[in-house]
Amino acid sequence: MTTASPSHFTYKPIPAPATASPEHFKDFGRQVEGYVPSEVTPEQMQEIIEMLYKHSILLFKNLKLTPKEQYELTHAFDPQAQSYGHGNNKTGKEKASILHPDLKTIPHQPQVQLIGNGKVPGTYEGLESPQLKHPHHKTFHKSVVSQEEEDKGVTRFYRWHIDAALYALSPPKVTTLYAVSVPKGEPQVCRYDDGTGDEIQVPLGGTAFVSGKTMFDILPPELKSLAVRTKVRYAPHPYVWMSKAHALPTGLGIEDEGLELPLEELPEWEDSKVKVFPMCWKNPVTGALHIQVHPCGAQALHIDPLPAGASREGALFPDGADITDLKETRALLYKIQRPGIAPELVYAQDWDEGDLVLFHNRGLLHSVVGAFTPDQLRMFHQCNLAASEDPVGPDAEDLKKYA
């Protein structure tokens, strides 16, 4: 059903996949009609900001959007923010970072990155024939789909993540993704390959999203209590730290093989710049809690004790704990996060050229899926800005309610 906005735009639910749980998708995602980038007013922008925090994803169809307009739209969510979410050009300089091959900075708008697949002909936005590379699970996962199965359309979630440097810079509030060139092909089957038999049909090269709010809401009480009491410590320079490690077949974290780089082998780092974030991030508009953890970069957990007077029955770590063992840290995160990526909770964006997706980077996780051949040209503009402040965790009321 299409609902008229009381003010500026028209909204309707995003086209959720047939596998989606209606209960969990009733507030997740809206398609916006009537938005003209070159004519947006401050009042219209405020409405878009509030709608994004309420619905996590906003989809705009058939847009013409310049890199400057995309930057301005992204910047409106955080007017004090300045640089690209990983720092301007920092990803390009740090050759050991696993992000290095995936990003090409647009010279005249350095907060916007060109991502995709294939060789772009000629000069594009000031880049000379850029070669783009779609991330493939075979470069990151420990176990891989066979070539024979891949030829039949089997794929995986590459890496569930938040767009964030996770060191020195604060996680962007919003990411904007604009589709410039989209190759078409048959849908693929994304397999979890974790013994559950879980799988989901996804569009070729789709972007998969899951809600951090739903991830929290579906937890049993003892895990909700743990989540609101836990802080996550990230490794310094996490994308370099994990550069030799391999991912789980679900893309939701790292295998325990001891392949992380020793801290003394990392680029120079300072303890004051290491990031420690709450496991749950509070939505600035709805007040809801979203589980927001980048499982690949997590190094340790700090768990606060139960508040005075709270029932200890069935509680996990009632006296609090510091978990510094990587295997234990990852096992606990997986227990909390894996239910939230179940097939019925995944939305995979089926891209058309001219699509713009805004997503609440502090309210959901996302992953690329799929595999392209080298000659399939896929071009997207991506923009996110390192935030002017860190995310806020649960407040006293949340602790009273959940801990």
Side-chain angles (χ1 to χ4, degrees), residues 12 48 117 123 180 209 215 218-219 239 247 338 358 361:
K12 62 183 182 183
I48 287 170
N117 188 76
T123 304
V180 178
F209 296 93
M215 194 175 271
I218 63 176
L219 290 176
Y239 302 102
R338 173 62 178 85
L358 275 64
N361 187 53

Side-chain angles (χ1 to χ4, degrees), residues 46-215:
Q46 192 53 44
E47 180 178 315
I48 287 170
I49 290 169
E50 288 191 16
M51 288 297 283
L52 183 72
Y53 286 130
K54 285 178 184 171
H55 299 291
S56 296
I57 289 177
L58 296 181
L59 167 64
F60 304 78
K61 303 288 289 182
N62 301 309
L63 275 198
K64 288 273 184 279
L65 190 72
T66 66
K68 183 173 187 285
E69 287 168 341
Q70 184 170 354
Y71 164 69
E72 287 169 351
L73 171 62
T74 311
H75 192 234
F77 282 82
D78 193 352
Q80 278 72 52
Q82 296 298 325
S83 68
Y84 178 63
H86 290 268
N88 278 0
N89 296 320
K90 292 291 191 298
T91 45
K93 278 187 205 147
E94 196 48 75
K95 293 283 193 283
S97 166
I98 58 170
L99 301 178
H100 177 254
D102 304 338
L103 302 164
K104 296 276 186 285
T105 298
I106 290 180
H108 62 87
Q109 196 68 62
Q111 304 88 348
V112 180
Q113 309 292 317
L114 175 64
I115 60 174
N117 188 76
K119 191 166 182 67
V120 181
T123 304
Y124 180 78
E125 297 286 0
L127 292 163
E128 199 57 52
S129 301
Q131 177 69 52
L132 305 176
K133 188 178 175 189
H134 185 73
H136 194 294
H137 82 273
K138 285 185 178 176
T139 64
F140 187 46
H141 290 203
K142 185 182 178 185
S143 71
V144 298
V145 171
S146 72
Q147 191 58 51
E148 184 185 3
E149 289 181 305
E150 188 173 299
D151 292 343
K152 291 177 182 168
V154 175
T155 184
R156 282 191 185 162
F157 300 115
Y158 173 69
R159 175 170 62 241
W160 287 105
H161 67 285
I162 303 162
D163 288 336
L166 304 173
Y167 173 76
L169 301 169
S170 294
K173 295 181 178 181
V174 61
T175 292
T176 56
L177 268 179
Y178 177 60
V180 178
S181 177
V182 179
K184 286 297 178 187
E186 292 300 311
Q188 298 185 314
V189 174
C190 185
R191 279 199 330 221
Y192 290 59
D193 284 341
D194 62 348
T196 60
D198 280 355
E199 60 181 40
I200 181 174
Q201 183 172 294
V202 292
L204 176 68
T207 307
F209 296 93
V210 292
S211 162
K213 177 184 181 295
T214 300
M215 194 175 271

